[in-house]
Amino acid sequence: FVRLNGIVYAVKEVEEHFAQREYELLFDLVRRGLPTVEPVGTVCDRVDAAGKALPAALITRHLEFSLPYRALFSSSLRIETAGRLVDALTVLLVQLHLSGFSWNDCSLSNTLFRRDASAFAAYLVDAETGELHASLSTGQREYDLETAATNVAGELMDLQAGGRLHEGIDPIVTAVGLRTRYDRLWRE
């Protein structure tokens, strides 16, 4: 992260092809009004002080007042709040799918959360593996949901193993709940 003129930017080092591709995907998502970080640009042909080549960089504007899931899912997180975070992630997935975007790496790590009145709003951060289509097939949505549930369960198990997850939050139940909530919202 860097701060320039009071604005915080996130800088992600990645191969040039992937930096440009992710920039374009994020730009398209922002243009469609979807909740995601704002792409600022890419920096290519970088070198260090000794002249050694560095990877390209994708620059995005930091989402003000947002928090990563590890700052939210902790031993002090209330069960109801965990449910609201999963609700926010569900809404984000449905919005993306309705727009023809398959994330292919949905996870709590690739999502930022921000308070929105008494609820939370979820924002896509990492679109590196995403694909934008005119619409998604049932198979594409199913794959994206299966990936999301697996990633969410894994990340929560990681917190659990480290003693940082509230004892009342079950990683598997939470991941299955994501799918149940998604199916209900998708039908609506």
Side-chain angles (χ1 to χ4, degrees):
F1 293 96
V2 296
R3 180 184 303 272
L4 180 63
N5 297 327
I7 300 172
V8 178
Y9 299 95
V11 180
K12 175 182 175 180
E13 289 187 326
V14 66
E15 291 181 33
E16 184 175 340
H17 167 77
F18 295 116
Q20 189 60 37
R21 182 180 180 283
E22 187 169 1
Y23 173 85
E24 290 169 5
L25 276 172
L26 288 171
F27 184 82
D28 285 342
L29 294 174
V30 167
R31 197 179 76 229
R32 292 171 186 227
L34 293 166
T36 184
V37 292
E38 177 188 344
V40 175
T42 58
V43 180
C44 303
D45 301 321
R46 299 172 56 226
V47 294
D48 65 14
K52 182 180 174 190
L54 294 171
L58 170 67
I59 302 169
T60 57
R61 183 183 300 263
H62 176 67
L63 186 63
E64 286 188 303
F65 310 112
S66 66
L67 293 168
Y69 89 98
R70 282 195 184 266
L72 295 166
F73 277 93
S74 65
S75 57
S76 63
L77 180 73
R78 295 187 324 213
I79 305 297
E80 310 81 53
T81 305
R84 292 194 338 241
L85 291 170
V86 173
D87 286 342
L89 183 57
T90 301
V91 170
L92 175 60
L93 274 168
V94 168
Q95 288 176 311
L96 294 172
H97 289 173
L98 286 171
S99 295
F101 184 76
S102 179
W103 200 341
N104 301 325
D105 193 24
C106 173
S107 67
L108 295 170
S109 296
N110 292 341
T111 309
L112 288 175
F113 295 93
R114 185 161 68 177
R115 285 201 179 277
D116 183 11
S118 64
F120 283 95
Y123 294 80
L124 177 143
V125 176
D126 188 337
E128 187 174 324
T129 58
E131 298 173 358
L132 194 54
H133 303 278
S135 64
L136 295 181
S137 69
T138 300
Q140 287 170 312
R141 286 189 314 101
E142 292 289 329
Y143 174 79
D144 211 19
L145 288 171
E146 189 65 33
T147 301
T150 299
N151 288 345
V152 166
E155 289 171 316
L156 293 178
M157 285 181 199
D158 180 50
L159 289 177
Q160 188 178 51
R164 299 199 49 200
L165 186 66
H166 187 286
E167 63 186 32
I169 299 173
D170 182 307
I172 301 300
V173 170
T174 302
V176 170
L178 171 66
R179 179 55 192 258
T180 303
R181 288 172 163 130
Y182 177 94
D183 289 341
R184 188 173 37 234
L185 185 56
W186 185 260
R187 282 190 304 271
E188 289 180 21

